[in-house]
Amino acid sequence: MIAISDIFVAAFALIGTFFSLVTALGLIRLPDLYTRAHAASKSATLGVMSILISVIIYFVAEDGFFSSRVLLGIFFVLITAPIGGHLIARAAYYSDVPLWKGSVQDDLAKNPEHVNPKKRSTRK
Amino acid sequence: MKSPMKKHTNDVILESSTTFITFIIFLFAVYLFFAGHYTPGGGFIGGLVTASALVLVLLAFDIQTLRQILPVDYKQMTAIGMLISVLTASGALLFNVPFFTHAHDYFNLPLFGKTSLHTAMLFDLGVYLVVVGVTMTIIQTIGESD
């Protein structure tokens, strides 16, 4: 017999693993650091959050135990993972990691308050 | 947060997220500390998580800011923690039982109702203070040396 909660548990776990796989593929396939940071911070956050939602539903349905720690974990990952991605990308930009050659826009290079504004090489 | 040192970078996102993430981490550390008797957790891991919250403040701001927020000497904190642990363990000698014998009883607290209070928690409080003190002493000493 399959309960409705089982379907939700399986669905969220599959969504989470799918997005984690997408993250890994994006880290391998994308050309430069900024696009990789985009892949790693967005879809990994969604993947981990889906898996944790699946964990919450599983324990509520199976044991009747609502784990507030997992809820706190979802909230925490939601806040911190994008900030981590932002800080990594910013640190890379300020240490002059080149953009991918197909990039068309670099507004921060025009900023006069840019820290140590070296000439940016976009590798033609 | 104007420090005398020149600070070029505009860390608004890191600083404003740190201000409330630190409270979540600290809350989780307190939870781990009190949950240690029946579930995984305890003084050691609670102290480490607290130290990690303080290190996050140290990363987002600087060492003067942390001193302003929490003006404690971590070496004294270590000493007080050791003292609490030793006194808890030797308090058993007053009741003519072996060293380190713990006692527990049920009390009716005003807000919590019937609660089991255990002297092992006092020992754990000492462990907690020692872990926070030692970790922060190590990190601040390394961070200050030029």
Side-chain angles (χ1 to χ4, degrees):
Chain A
M1 196 182 94
I2 297 176
I4 298 175
S5 63
D6 288 349
I7 299 172
F8 276 106
V9 168
F12 275 115
L14 277 177
I15 290 170
T17 44
F18 172 72
F19 276 107
S20 304
L21 182 68
V22 166
T23 306
L25 286 178
L27 285 181
I28 297 168
R29 294 282 298 161
L30 287 173
D32 71 342
L33 190 141
Y34 306 101
T35 48
R36 282 178 186 164
H38 161 82
S41 60
K42 249 187 202 166
S43 56
T45 310
L46 185 59
V48 171
M49 281 170 63
S50 297
I51 291 174
L52 288 179
I53 288 171
S54 157
V55 169
I56 283 188
I57 297 174
Y58 176 80
F59 278 109
V60 167
E62 204 75 7
D63 300 340
F65 170 67
F66 182 78
S67 173
S68 54
R69 282 168 301 236
V70 180
L71 197 67
L72 195 68
I74 292 176
F75 186 61
F76 197 76
V77 167
L78 175 68
I79 296 172
T80 52
I83 295 170
H86 159 77
L87 287 173
I88 291 170
R90 204 183 66 151
Y93 189 87
Y94 284 159
S95 43
D96 287 330
V97 173
L99 273 65
W100 178 48
K101 61 182 185 303
S103 306
V104 291
Q105 201 166 7
D106 187 7
D107 285 340
L108 206 56
K110 298 174 200 137
N111 186 4
E113 292 171 8
H114 182 276
V115 180
N116 190 16
K118 290 181 202 162
K119 186 173 168 52
R120 303 193 57 78
S121 59
T122 46
R123 282 193 306 187
K124 283 194 279 297
Chain B
M1 302 305 155
K2 289 292 174 204
S3 61
M5 287 183 294
K6 56 177 181 176
K7 196 173 180 186
H8 289 295
T9 51
N10 181 11
D11 281 339
V12 152
I13 294 179
L14 179 62
E15 286 174 2
S16 55
S17 59
T18 299
T19 46
F20 64 90
I21 284 174
T22 304
F23 287 107
I24 298 177
I25 300 175
F26 188 68
L27 193 73
F28 187 58
V30 172
Y31 163 76
L32 280 177
F33 174 70
F34 283 111
H37 200 65
Y38 293 110
T39 51
F44 184 76
I45 194 69
L48 277 183
V49 172
T50 306
S52 77
L54 298 177
V55 168
L56 185 63
V57 174
L58 213 53
L59 280 176
F61 301 101
D62 48 8
I63 214 159
Q64 279 86 21
T65 315
L66 184 65
R67 281 216 184 101
Q68 228 171 5
I69 297 169
L70 204 66
V72 290
D73 186 357
Y74 292 105
K75 292 190 279 297
Q76 283 177 13
M77 189 190 257
T78 312
I80 290 170
M82 294 287 261
L83 205 62
I84 289 175
S85 292
V86 170
L87 287 181
T88 310
S90 52
L93 297 177
L94 294 177
F95 299 99
N96 225 357
V97 283
F99 190 60
F100 256 116
T101 307
H102 285 297
H104 74 282
D105 204 354
Y106 294 96
F107 295 94
N108 270 315
L109 296 180
L111 203 57
F112 298 100
K114 190 184 176 192
T115 316
S116 155
L117 292 182
H118 202 293
T119 53
M121 209 208 74
L122 288 173
F123 182 77
D124 232 15
L125 180 69
V127 174
Y128 177 90
L129 290 176
V130 168
V131 170
V132 173
V134 167
T135 315
M136 292 312 291
T137 307
I138 292 171
I139 288 167
Q140 280 197 339
T141 314
I142 294 172
E144 272 178 334
S145 66
D146 290 322

